[in-house]
Amino acid sequence: MTLRIAVTGWTGQIVCAMLERVPVGVEVVAIRRPELDLAVPRTIAPALRAARADVIVNAAAYTAVDQAESEPDLAMRVNGQAAGEAARAAAELGVPLIQISTDYVFDGALDRPYREDDPVGPVSAYGASKLAGERAVAAATPDHAILRTAWVYSPFGKNFVRTMLRLGETREEVGVVADQVGCPTSAIDIADAVFTVARNLRARPDDTSLRGIFHMVGQGETSWAGFAEAIFAESERQGRKPVRVRHIGTADYPTPARRPANSRLDCAKLAAVHGISLPDWQEAARTCVRRLLAEEGGRAS
């Protein structure tokens, strides 16, 4: 029997990856505006009902981290209130909901990778809105899996890998923050994991251990500067000119929103319960860089 998954969004990195990675026996229905507009919560339930899904994935979000500082109400409506509406719709339909969340629910002050039961404490409007979404989902339906991820990149949309490759075209050196650490995570790997979680939830509707909060990031850790060095090392191997990375501090690159200094997430629970371990971030990043450069070469020719 085909597993029908409705996913909110259309152009986001995770949605694009899911549409590309649809496994055999799965159908993905991506619902976009105007049928479903997270900024207009009343559109959510009717759109999800019309999708006739077995599992709902709420992957769309307000992700402009710095802009959220000047638009906190909109961020809260999209990431908080709308997540709750999606969860209530899932409950009414009797189907599981998978909510994509973020490391930004933490303050980043811990000296080890965060576990699911560590105290939350967002330090930005974006983080506060995503935490509100988690809480709204949990309040609306017990049949949920909240997947916190971090430092997401892919061949799609705007992300750190594409930004570094673009800057490397015209610069000999790029300054990158070195005092924030985390786990770079490929949206391709996230998509594959989401499909596994969806299958598990659908196959074992009474297994409460499969529900709740899970951390889901690439294996290993690095700083943003280390991530950039890996990107430029692979691009050089593919024939691009060398680019130096100048290590700078967070204070040297001020942004409207505070970023967690520690974005590392402990994924042991996801591995133990759902049997999922995402690949090492370095190999996944190299794969992404090679793909982007190959696609760029194809367009150039």
Side-chain angles (χ1 to χ4, degrees):
M1 180 180 293
T2 298
L3 176 66
R4 186 176 171 91
I5 299 175
V7 57
T8 62
W10 183 254
T11 59
Q13 296 186 78
I14 294 173
V15 179
C16 288
M18 288 182 67
L19 291 170
E20 180 176 283
R21 302 286 291 184
V22 182
V24 174
V26 175
E27 179 184 5
V28 174
V29 179
I31 313 172
R32 55 178 166 172
R33 292 179 291 185
E35 288 78 17
L36 186 151
D37 187 341
L38 294 185
V40 186
R42 68 175 181 274
T43 66
I44 295 171
L48 293 176
R49 281 195 294 267
R52 305 186 314 280
D54 300 307
V55 179
I56 294 169
V57 177
N58 186 30
Y62 181 111
T63 57
V65 175
D66 289 322
Q67 194 171 330
E69 294 299 310
S70 58
E71 296 181 334
D73 292 342
L74 178 58
M76 188 62 73
R77 188 160 69 249
V78 172
N79 293 340
Q81 183 182 352
E85 292 292 339
R88 279 186 285 276
E92 291 170 4
L93 295 167
V95 302
L97 177 95
I98 297 174
Q99 171 74 15
I100 305 298
S101 194
T102 174
D103 62 292
Y104 278 71
V105 300
F106 297 113
D107 63 11
L110 209 60
D111 61 357
R112 58 164 172 78
Y114 280 90
R115 295 189 293 264
E116 289 82 355
D117 57 356
D118 282 320
V120 292
V123 293
S124 66
Y126 168 73
S129 71
K130 292 297 288 184
L131 178 58
E134 289 188 5
R135 289 172 169 168
V137 166
T141 176
D143 196 3
H144 68 266
I146 295 167
L147 306 178
R148 291 175 180 154
T149 190
W151 291 24
V152 180
Y153 67 90
S154 71
F156 320 109
K158 296 179 180 179
N159 59 74
F160 187 76
V161 174
R162 299 190 75 173
T163 297
M164 289 300 105
L165 291 176
R166 175 176 53 80
L167 293 176
E169 289 181 352
T170 57
R171 299 187 188 182
E172 302 292 329
E173 181 179 88
V174 178
V176 184
V177 170
D179 57 359
Q180 296 173 20
V181 294
C183 312
T185 310
S186 166
I188 300 290
D189 296 333
I190 293 173
D192 292 343
V194 166
F195 288 127
T196 299
V197 172
R199 283 191 177 117
N200 290 346
L201 294 175
R202 186 62 176 172
R204 295 152 63 186
D206 298 322
D207 190 343
T208 57
S209 72
L210 296 173
R211 278 77 184 165
I213 298 173
F214 299 88
H215 289 173
M216 186 173 72
V217 292
Q219 291 187 45
E221 61 186 62
T222 189
S223 65
W224 286 113
F227 192 9
E229 287 171 340
I231 293 165
F232 291 131
E234 183 58 35
S235 69
E236 186 176 350
R237 279 192 289 270
Q238 300 304 314
R240 280 270 194 105
K241 66 177 178 64
V243 180
R244 295 185 302 277
V245 175
R246 185 176 76 259
H247 289 218
I248 63 175
T250 298
D252 300 317
Y253 188 72
T255 56
R258 283 180 59 193
R259 267 70 171 170
N262 172 27
S263 289
R264 296 173 296 165
L265 301 179
D266 184 326
C267 301
K269 181 183 174 184
L270 184 73
V273 175
H274 280 280
I276 298 170
S277 294
L278 269 59
D280 178 81
W281 76 265
Q282 295 186 67
E283 182 52 42
R286 286 192 291 266
T287 299
C288 182
V289 171
R290 289 194 294 267
R291 173 171 168 176
L292 284 167
L293 294 180
E295 290 176 354
E296 180 182 282
R299 286 193 298 269
S301 60

